[in-house]
Amino acid sequence: SEGEKAFCAGASFDELLEINDLESGKQFFGGFAAVINAMRKSPKFIVARVHGKAVGGGVGLVAAADYALATDECSVKLSEFALGIGPFVVGPAVERKIGKAAFAQMSTDFEWYDATWARNKGLYADTFENITELDEAIEEITAKLAKASPEAAKELKTIFWEGTENWDTLLAERAEISGRLVMSEFTREYIRQFKAK
């Protein structure tokens, strides 16, 4: 996103309300799965520049990045459970990065967690006081990565992502769960009430 307010706020409620059948739901959430899998399979390291808050799918993007740097204002939240669907698609990436206990906590209480918490849990490699410092750090790490051997980087990334070989299937299955749940009356009513505020 532009500006400093949000890195990524996740799925659009308007788009969620347009899902009226399981196939459309699977396809919608399959888009999140495709992005995470593309990040996982890329032979190059992916660096996330997190300049604002991240919610839901945004947290998944940060977790799927190989290296994430953020400002001190970059709090994170998984709000999908409140919505009635749960963080099924982004869950494997988030859990891989911060651990099962922190993922369970974040998934079930749908509270905001500050950047210090996210850094301490491993979601962010580091945090910075302002965007200028963030951008300087981004330039530094990307310059180092650009000088590294592409072959060695590919092999190292493969090792970092060991144990995720089943994610093509796993994330498709998770997309189907979300695609089914998003059509529930609970979810539709939550979205209607949220939009009415």
Side-chain angles (χ1 to χ4, degrees):
S1 67
E2 295 182 9
E4 301 176 18
K5 292 186 178 181
F7 168 72
C8 177
S12 159
F13 280 1
D14 291 335
E15 289 180 286
L16 293 178
L17 285 174
E18 291 177 11
I19 298 170
N20 292 311
D21 59 81
L22 181 58
E23 195 54 42
S24 297
K26 284 168 46 178
Q27 185 175 11
F28 180 84
F29 289 100
F32 287 94
V35 170
I36 290 171
N37 273 322
M39 294 172 76
R40 174 178 68 90
K41 293 176 182 179
S42 170
K44 298 181 184 286
F45 287 107
I46 296 174
V47 178
R49 176 191 178 270
V50 188
H51 60 279
K53 293 180 176 182
V55 183
V59 178
L61 290 175
V62 173
D66 299 295
Y67 206 89
L69 298 173
T71 66
D72 292 339
E73 302 302 314
C74 294
S75 53
V76 294
K77 180 180 185 179
L78 291 177
S79 57
E80 292 93 329
F81 187 49
L83 179 65
I85 55 177
F88 298 109
V89 177
V90 301
V94 177
E95 181 182 333
R96 174 187 164 270
K97 194 60 80 88
I98 69 174
K100 189 177 284 290
F103 170 64
Q105 176 184 354
M106 203 177 177
S107 298
T108 55
D109 68 12
F110 30 89
E111 297 289 337
W112 283 104
Y113 288 89
D114 66 20
T116 301
W117 184 91
R119 185 186 67 233
N120 290 342
K121 297 297 180 190
L123 190 63
Y124 299 144
D126 205 352
T127 56
F128 301 89
E129 191 172 320
N130 55 56
I131 287 186
T132 301
E133 291 179 10
L134 171 64
D135 286 341
E136 289 171 359
I138 291 286
E139 286 295 322
E140 184 178 334
I141 187 64
T142 55
K144 287 178 183 176
L145 291 173
K147 291 178 185 175
S149 159
E151 293 84 6
K154 179 181 177 183
E155 294 298 332
L156 192 55
K157 183 160 177 173
T158 300
I159 290 169
F160 291 163
W161 284 89
E162 277 180 354
T164 65
E165 294 80 10
N166 68 329
W167 279 22
D168 287 325
T169 303
L170 174 66
L171 297 188
E173 291 168 354
R174 298 285 186 90
E176 183 170 348
I177 294 170
S178 292
R180 177 175 41 84
L181 291 173
V182 77
M183 294 182 295
S184 72
E185 186 53 36
F186 182 97
T187 296
R188 294 189 180 284
E189 183 58 26
Y190 181 93
I191 293 172
R192 285 192 287 268
Q193 288 182 10
F194 186 88
K195 289 179 61 120
K197 291 181 183 178

